[in-house]
């Protein structure tokens, strides 16, 4: 048997685009594809397939430039002992650009991952469609997009962006569940040259679509990684919360934190003036196991907080209003952010914990003209449609439509708790009295005193949790310090929940 040929070919494959190209990659502080795979997967666990694939393009001198593997590394391996499929662009080969056979390699492992029910991790570092291959490379992309959609909600799909990601190439990562970007990476549909031509704006690639932009402004990315090692660490942490597919439960770890641990600080955390902010992150970390909260999209739409944590070893998704930003009001971006997160958790059997302190929806032409109605409806729809266990704690305010939206009992909350000072009302006492007692106040001898008396009276009557509790809309009013214990107990009692929606092709969520 001729092992020498196999050996030679393997060596050739592992050289990718050659030593010079690998050095160029390192000069840009980027790893090569093979180095990335070696760091991401458990030692010696990665099995590569299709090492010998090449393109069959004959044009533009490409017939003489065939590189084994064609610029993408595909295969499977384990991360912390769990199986994952992965593809990794090799920028040293034609700038990681995607041709037809390159695309087919990716499609092959996407099909295998879907059949087996295993998450897929895409490592992106590419100049986009391989220009020499023309429409074949466009078709290759579209085949990938189509598979991304088929796999959506069946297996988790995660994209790491570690270099350029331009043109239509952005749409595969955009369909996947999470995008982690390194600081030097960028994503855009049209690059700086086209932008200059069309709009006369001067921007660099990073200014247009760098990791900071997509983490802070556009909401396209979910995590910002300092460098490539950080990117892999974020990925490892993320997948630790997720099941491998929609038919599995999320991994349960042996809890190291007492399920009955009290959070004494929480009894004192709310300021006496209910218009003053406080730190919701502290509440979350006090409640969850070991104070370990893994925040998602932490730099975008900061008026809502989303992320993963564990309660007594079980993965949960947390959605919490953030009183420190815009008083925790709901706006277009916060609705979008929470909606996608709720739907992800619902796809993958991750229970939802909602912590409410919301004064309502953000008023103004900006929001109304931007379609806050549509975006708020989407948020409401997502909670309402989700069938995982859903627990809510009203921490402070739950006003108006936002009360309904934030996983109220009426839209399917399984357990709805409130802290004793919760204000559940159609609107704040000030605004309510100005509307319903306008005449009484203006006709009074002392309008200011009358107004204050009416507000106090209204607050006593309506801005408390007892009326909602008397109607069963709130299952229990709990002391803040007991929140962790109550949530863990409630979650245990509903963890195996199964709820069927009416049979249909799919609903029509207002997007
Ligand atoms: C073929 C490509 C390529 C591409 C880069 N290369 N992009 N080859 N098709 N799309 C090659 C370069 O010719 C070069 O080859 C090598 O990769 C490295 O590229 P450099 O330019 O030297 O690297 P760098 O300076 O780091 O710049 C990287 C880059 C730039 C920013 C990505 O290469 C670039 O702008 N490329 C074109 C990007 C683009 O417009 N792509 C098409 C997008 S449209 P040599 O032999 O010199 O080493 C698209 C449509 C998809 O993708 C639609 C899907 C539906």
């Amino acid at each position: 048997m001729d092992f020498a040929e196999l050996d030679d070919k393997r060596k050739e494959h592992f050289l990718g685009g050659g030593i010079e190209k690998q050095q160029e990659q390192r000069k840009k502080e980027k790893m090569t594809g093979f180095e990335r795979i070696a760091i991401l997967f458990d030692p010696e666990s990665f099995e590569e397939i299709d090492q010998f694939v090449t393109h069959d393009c004959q044009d533009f001198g490409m017939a003489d430039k065939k590189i084994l593997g064609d610029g993408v590394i595909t295969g499977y391996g384990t991360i912390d002992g769990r199986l994952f499929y992965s593809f990794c662009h090799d920028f040293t080969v034609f700038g990681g650009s995607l041709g037809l056979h390159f695309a087919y390699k990716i499609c092959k492992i996407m099909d295998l991952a879907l059949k087996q029910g295993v998450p897929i991790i895409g490592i992106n570092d590419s100049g986009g469609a391989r220009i020499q291959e023309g429409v074949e490379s466009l078709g290759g992309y579209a085949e990938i997009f189509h598979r991304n959609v088929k796999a959506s909600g069946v297996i988790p799909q995660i994209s790491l962006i570690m270099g350029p990601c331009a043109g239509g190439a952005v749409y595969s990562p955009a369909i996947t569940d999470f995008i982690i970007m390194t600081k030097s990476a960028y994503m855009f549909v049209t690059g700086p040259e086209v932008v200059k031509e069309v709009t006369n704006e001067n921007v660099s690639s990073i200014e247009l679509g760098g990791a900071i932009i997509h983490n802070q402004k556009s909401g396209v990315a979910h995590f910002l990684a300092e460098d490539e090692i950080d990117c892999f660490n974020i990925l490892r942490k993320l997948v630790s919360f997720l099941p491998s597919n929609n038919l599995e439960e999320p991994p349960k770890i042996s809890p190291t934190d007492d399920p009955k641990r009290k959070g004494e600080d929480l009894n004192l955390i709310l300021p006496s003036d209910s218009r003053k902010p406080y730190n919701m992150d502290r509440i979350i970390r006090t409640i969850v196991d070991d104070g370990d909260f893994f925040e998602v999209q932490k730099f975008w739409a900061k008026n809502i907080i989303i992320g993963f944590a564990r309660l007594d070893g079980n993965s949960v998704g947390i959605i919490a209003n953030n009183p420190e930003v815009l008083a925790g009001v709901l706006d277009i971006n916060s609705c979008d952010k929470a909606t996608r997160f709720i739907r992800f958790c619902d796809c993958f059997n991750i229970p939802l914990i909602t912590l409410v302190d919301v004064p309502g929806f953000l008023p103004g032409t900006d929001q109304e003209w931007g379609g806050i109605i549509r975006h708020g409806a989407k948020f409401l729809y997502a909670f309402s449609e989700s069938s995982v266990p859903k627990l809510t704690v009203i921490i402070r305010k739950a006003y108006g439509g936002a009360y309904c939206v934030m996983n109220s009992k009426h839209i399917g909350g399984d357990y709805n708790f409130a802290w004793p000072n919760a204000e559940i009302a159609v609107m704040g006492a000030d605004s309510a009295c100005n509307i319903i007692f306008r005449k009484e106040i203006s006709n009074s001898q002392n309008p200011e005193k009358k107004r204050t008396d009416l507000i106090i009276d209204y607050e006593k009557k309506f801005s408390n949790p007892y009326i909602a509790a008397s109607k069963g809309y709130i299952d229990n009013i709990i002391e803040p310090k007991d929140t962790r214990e109550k949530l863990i107990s409630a979650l245990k009692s509903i963890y195996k929940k199964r709820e069927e929606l009416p049979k249909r092709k799919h609903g029509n969520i207002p997007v």
Side-chain angles (χ1 to χ4, degrees), residues 171-216:
Y171 287 111
S172 172
I175 299 167
T176 64
D177 299 302
F178 295 100
I179 294 180
I180 311 173
M181 286 184 83
T182 58
K183 270 195 173 155
S184 57
Y186 49 84
M187 299 176 77
F188 41 67
V189 175
T190 43
E193 293 82 17
V194 180
V195 170
K196 169 80 187 148
E197 244 171 66
V198 177
T199 69
N200 209 22
E201 289 167 285
N202 278 310
V203 277
S204 68
S205 294
I206 292 286
E207 284 165 344
L208 185 60
I212 294 188
I213 294 298
H214 287 310
N215 274 275
Q216 278 181 2

Side-chain angles (χ1 to χ4, degrees), residues 197-395:
E197 244 171 66
V198 177
T199 69
N200 209 22
E201 289 167 285
N202 278 310
V203 277
S204 68
S205 294
I206 292 286
E207 284 165 344
L208 185 60
I212 294 188
I213 294 298
H214 287 310
N215 274 275
Q216 278 181 2
K217 261 185 192 291
S218 72
V220 166
H222 299 80
F223 300 97
L224 174 65
E226 283 301 316
D227 53 30
E228 300 196 6
I229 298 288
D230 190 32
C231 195
F232 293 132
N233 288 339
I234 292 170
L235 173 83
R236 270 189 214 103
K237 174 109 185 176
L238 171 63
V239 298
S240 76
F241 292 100
L242 315 182
S244 292
N245 60 61
N246 62 332
L247 301 178
E248 286 182 9
E249 301 289 343
K252 176 166 168 109
I253 64 161
S254 297
T256 48
D257 198 353
D258 179 2
K260 293 191 182 298
R261 175 175 54 76
K262 302 282 178 198
E264 300 289 347
D265 287 3
L266 298 186
N267 276 10
L268 302 169
I269 198 165
L270 295 187
S272 49
D273 180 348
S274 80
R275 283 164 302 189
K276 290 234 163 91
Y278 56 89
N279 190 335
M280 182 62 91
D281 183 75
R282 226 178 98 201
I283 295 185
I284 297 170
R285 288 180 195 276
T286 307
I287 293 170
V288 302
D289 290 2
D290 305 304
D292 186 11
F293 176 53
F294 184 59
E295 193 171 347
V296 176
Q297 287 184 314
K298 76 169 145 190
F299 304 108
W300 181 61
K302 287 157 74 168
N303 41 332
I304 205 152
I305 300 171
I306 56 170
F308 297 103
R310 291 188 178 87
L311 279 177
D312 204 27
N314 293 300
S315 292
V316 291
I318 308 255
I319 299 122
N321 307 112
N322 181 3
E324 285 181 329
V325 178
L326 293 171
V329 77
L330 295 176
D331 63 355
I332 290 170
N333 287 347
S334 60
C335 288
D336 279 4
K337 173 174 163 179
T339 300
R340 193 150 163 77
F341 184 69
I342 291 166
R343 299 193 98 215
F344 175 82
C345 292
D346 192 43
C347 288
F348 293 106
N349 311 315
I350 301 172
L352 295 168
I353 311 291
T354 307
L355 304 177
V356 183
D357 185 355
V358 62
F361 285 92
L362 184 63
T365 48
D366 224 34
Q367 293 290 308
E368 295 291 348
W369 295 350
I372 184 69
I373 297 175
R374 184 161 43 88
H375 295 279
K378 166 166 56 182
F379 187 15
L380 167 63
Y381 190 115
F383 259 134
S384 210
E385 155 191 72
S386 59
S387 59
V388 285
K390 293 186 284 188
L391 316 182
T392 297
V393 184
I394 302 182
I395 303 286

Side-chain angles (χ1 to χ4, degrees), residues 21 28 91 94-95 97 127-132 138 141 145 164 166-169 186:
K21 293 277 173 208
K28 293 177 198 158
F91 193 83
F94 311 124
S97 60
R130 189 173 293 161
I131 295 161
Q132 297 89 329
L138 299 184
Y141 267 124
F145 304 157
Y186 49 84

